Amino acid sequence: MVSENAAEVLAAWETSSQYWNKHQSLIEKMYAPLTRALIEEAQIVAGQSVLDIGGGAGEPSLTIARAVGPSGKVTFTDPTAGMVKAAREEAERRGLTNIEFHQSAAEKLPFANDSFDVVVGRLSAMFFADVSGALREILRVVKPGGRLALLVWADRELNPFFNVITEILDQFVTAEPEDEDALAAFRFARPGKLAKLIEEAGAVTVKEHTLKFDTEAPIDVSQFWKLRTEMSDAFRTKLARLAPDEVSAVRDAVLKAAAVYFKSGSMIFPSQVLIVSGRKAVAEE
Ligand SMILES: C[S@@+](CC[C@H](N)C(=O)[O-])C[C@H]1O[C@@H](n2cnc3c(N)ncnc32)[C@H](O)[C@@H]1O
């Protein structure tokens, strides 16, 4: 099924790209445990050719470019022009030469069949407009026997990094009933949901596991408010519907509720994601 609000979602990511670019180094630090877990799950080693789907402001591509080394190669993709620009500029700043950039969505990858050893996606699969089509496309471009590993958010309740704001905002803005299939952060939070789709797309040895990690950064609670209300289109959209005094009231309530996740000028949110992986069958499988 192809989502009807795909164009809106992409437009929102285009707007978000300036903030993801602005906060690139913080995002890299906060989600470094996720990149490490993806590298481990997909068994990425030097010399491999790796495709990153929905690479945002550059991760996990930039880290993987170092992991595969000069004999390997990373292909970064994202459908949003602003994200591609941010990631490309960061790669140039770092002098990385084994990475190339394509503005493309997962549903239509501009690559030949059997091109990559590994395909990864960090926190991007939830936004695929046609998830089954995208998964078939990913399996088309990975080599027989090659791996795919996709990382998605686990349940909202397990992720106060989101929920501490959502719970308060929803007291001020009438929340629409949540559609489990909407193109949004928690679309694949239900265990087994993405794994089943990956299996139906034709992957073999599909596995899912939960990763608990801390979303950590050297910022205080008011910097957290700024970071989250810039990065998240959902928060930006809801806040835009409020009067200035209501925005202040939400902010005050969030700063109070979130204080428990801050100590000595540092942020630590307990967090959970699911990592779903599989392989493309070789002919005799
Ligand atoms: C939450 S961000 C994750 C970015 C990055 N991978 C990270 O972990 O920091 C989601 C990304 O998915 C991208 N995206 C949206 N729709 C997509 C699609 N159909 N195919 C591939 N990527 C998509 C967005 O442009 C955005 O950059």
Side-chain angles (χ1 to χ4, degrees):
M1 193 189 86
V2 180
S3 168
E4 282 164 15
N5 67 340
E8 268 169 52
V9 170
L10 278 188
W13 278 114
E14 199 63 80
T15 306
S16 293
S17 66
Q18 62 188 296
Y19 302 114
W20 283 63
N21 185 17
K22 174 178 169 188
H23 299 298
Q24 197 279 336
S25 69
L26 214 48
I27 293 170
E28 183 172 347
K29 202 183 298 288
M30 290 189 313
Y31 296 154
L34 305 186
T35 300
R36 283 197 292 276
L38 265 183
I39 290 174
E40 196 178 313
E41 183 67 31
Q43 298 177 25
I44 292 171
V45 291
Q48 283 184 323
S49 165
V50 178
L51 172 65
D52 179 13
I53 306 280
E59 284 297 321
S61 281
L62 299 168
T63 301
I64 293 174
R66 292 222 198 277
V68 297
S71 60
K73 199 180 111 184
V74 172
T75 303
F76 168 103
T77 58
D78 198 285
T80 310
M83 293 291 195
V84 178
K85 182 169 180 287
R88 190 199 299 273
E89 286 174 1
E90 187 56 30
E92 281 167 7
R93 253 193 301 280
R94 295 180 191 198
L96 293 169
T97 52
N98 61 342
I99 176 165
E100 62 177 59
F101 296 86
H102 294 265
Q103 186 182 347
S104 51
E107 292 84 350
K108 199 163 187 286
L109 296 168
F111 310 112
N113 296 351
D114 307 340
S115 294
F116 302 96
D117 297 306
V118 174
V119 181
V120 293
R122 191 183 86 170
L123 305 174
S124 56
M126 307 79 107
F127 304 101
F128 297 167
D130 169 11
V131 69
S132 298
L135 293 170
R136 284 195 299 273
E137 195 54 355
I138 287 171
L139 286 166
R140 177 183 71 75
V141 302
V142 75
K143 293 175 187 171
R147 290 175 196 279
L148 76 143
L150 300 176
L151 191 148
V152 294
W153 288 112
D155 206 272
R156 183 196 300 281
E157 309 289 326
L158 302 168
N159 285 293
F161 185 64
F162 289 81
N163 217 27
V164 75
I165 299 185
T166 308
E167 276 185 339
I168 290 166
L169 251 180
D170 287 353
Q171 294 164 21
F172 287 77
V173 183
T174 322
E176 318 258 316
E178 227 164 278
D179 171 1
E180 205 209 21
D181 291 319
L183 308 193
F186 298 99
R187 181 185 184 188
F188 292 123
R190 181 160 51 75
K193 184 178 177 187
L194 180 59
K196 183 167 180 274
L197 291 170
I198 292 179
E199 239 160 23
E200 285 171 1
V204 295
T205 58
V206 175
K207 289 182 293 179
E208 172 185 288
H209 70 90
T210 301
L211 174 74
K212 293 183 187 178
F213 72 106
D214 287 330
T215 303
E216 267 184 271
I219 57 174
D220 65 23
V221 68
S222 58
Q223 289 167 309
F224 160 74
W225 165 260
K226 182 139 185 73
L227 173 78
R228 295 303 291 132
T229 52
E230 290 189 344
M231 272 176 84
S232 163
D233 172 67
F235 295 155
R236 290 197 313 267
T237 307
K238 284 183 184 174
L239 285 168
R241 289 199 237 144
L242 298 179
D245 60 325
E246 292 175 311
V247 173
S248 297
V250 173
R251 183 179 183 276
D252 290 349
V254 168
L255 297 200
K256 202 163 158 215
V260 59
Y261 302 108
F262 291 80
K263 266 193 207 95
S264 330
S266 259
M267 172 187 91
I268 305 184
F269 277 96
S271 307
Q272 276 193 42
V273 290
L274 302 175
I275 305 184
V276 191
S277 64
R279 284 188 308 115
K280 175 165 170 173
V282 287
E284 64 273 16
E285 271 179 304

